[in-house]
Amino acid sequence: MSIAVAVVGAETPGNVGTIARAMKNFGLTELYLVDPPDLDPDGEAYGFAGQAREDVLPNATETTFDALVERFHTVGTTAVTNEDARKHVRYPFRTPAELSDSLADVETDTCVVFGRERVGLTNEELARLDEVVSIPASGEYPVLNLGQAATIVLYELRELTVEETQHPDAIERAPEPEIDGVHEQFAALLAAINHPEGKRAKTERLFRRVVGRAHLTPREARTLRGVLRRASEYASPPE
């Protein structure tokens, strides 16, 4: 299953460029445009697209709404949901966070369809799409900029579209003997500063909780042990 993006009736070239950039950010490459504005290579669309100006945007396919419906499992986007079981056109709907789980089991190629800046997708268009997604926002002003809305939705789909992020793999936790060494050195510091004996056990437990939540890396554990050791030496210098 692949995920494409379609923009229907965009009025502002800059929004198309922003959506293309968001696609690039989150591992999508297939962009479809229905009734697009003029996308001048020297204009806003390419200016806002970042590196997506090199591939996503110039390779965008102009198509029709009918063609999208015929080819893809479609997901329409809307700000106003009319959440009422009697108003079935925009109900039920999913949030972007729920959409990733929903699409994980879809084997057919999928297209997320974004509508116009001012009116979004019409009820008639939404009625022809397979699913509806809506971003939870303030009830007083739920309408987001088209580019912003697309960025949020595509971000939530990243588990399906991004194989590897710029973030490092899970941080290596220091082995238990090194963690134990930190606690031993802390106990030695308490003794060196003559911390009240009756309070040492409780203080060590508190320190253990803090260190346990921190999940120290090997380097952090070694550094902390060194600092505690030097502090102990300064607290009880040799005679």
Side-chain angles (χ1 to χ4, degrees):
M1 185 267 288
S2 66
I3 298 178
V5 172
V7 186
V8 177
E11 300 170 7
T12 306
N15 275 328
V16 178
T18 299
I19 292 173
R21 179 172 186 154
M23 292 175 62
K24 185 83 172 180
N25 289 145
F26 301 116
L28 296 113
T29 60
E30 197 173 355
L31 174 61
Y32 292 89
L33 302 174
V34 177
D35 298 325
D38 180 41
L39 302 181
D40 182 352
D42 295 321
E44 276 190 355
Y46 280 77
F48 288 7
Q51 291 188 12
R53 72 169 66 91
E54 300 172 3
D55 46 16
V56 177
L57 200 52
N59 294 326
T61 300
E62 191 167 343
T63 189
T64 65
F65 192 85
D66 289 342
L68 294 175
V69 173
E70 291 171 4
R71 177 176 175 184
F72 294 102
H73 173 84
T74 49
V75 180
T77 55
T78 182
V80 181
T81 61
N82 294 337
E83 188 176 353
D84 185 330
R86 296 169 298 175
K87 299 176 181 177
H88 61 281
V89 173
R90 302 186 183 208
Y91 176 89
F93 68 94
R94 302 182 191 279
T95 67
E98 296 166 337
L99 184 61
S100 180
D101 290 337
S102 171
L103 294 181
D105 297 327
V106 176
E107 297 181 358
T108 306
D109 289 343
T110 296
C111 186
V112 183
V113 184
F114 297 94
R116 306 157 187 84
E117 285 90 340
R118 290 181 296 175
V119 297
L121 296 169
T122 66
N123 280 346
E124 290 74 17
E125 289 167 340
L126 286 169
R128 299 182 63 192
L129 303 182
D130 298 303
E131 297 188 63
V132 174
V133 64
S134 185
I135 299 169
S138 168
E140 296 181 359
Y141 189 46
V143 181
L144 279 75
N145 169 274
L146 176 58
Q148 294 173 326
T151 300
I152 292 171
V153 173
L154 299 184
Y155 165 78
E156 292 292 357
L157 292 177
R158 69 195 182 282
E159 292 186 1
L160 302 178
T161 60
V162 176
E163 294 184 1
E164 183 178 353
T165 73
Q166 82 279 21
H167 294 162
D169 295 334
I171 297 175
E172 178 187 4
R173 188 177 186 275
E176 284 306 313
E178 292 189 27
I179 299 295
D180 289 340
V182 171
H183 294 304
E184 291 169 3
Q185 199 62 60
F186 182 70
L189 175 61
L190 293 181
I193 63 174
N194 199 27
H195 192 71
E197 289 191 15
K199 296 183 178 180
R200 290 183 192 178
K202 182 177 181 180
T203 303
E204 289 179 28
R205 285 198 301 272
L206 292 175
F207 183 74
R208 183 174 292 274
R209 293 174 190 169
V210 172
V211 171
R213 290 195 298 269
H215 299 294
L216 299 178
T217 65
R219 182 178 181 181
E220 289 170 342
R222 290 193 298 271
T223 300
L224 187 54
R225 287 180 67 180
V227 170
L228 293 173
R229 181 174 59 254
R230 293 197 65 183
S232 299
E233 293 170 354
Y234 275 101
S236 55
E239 299 179 357

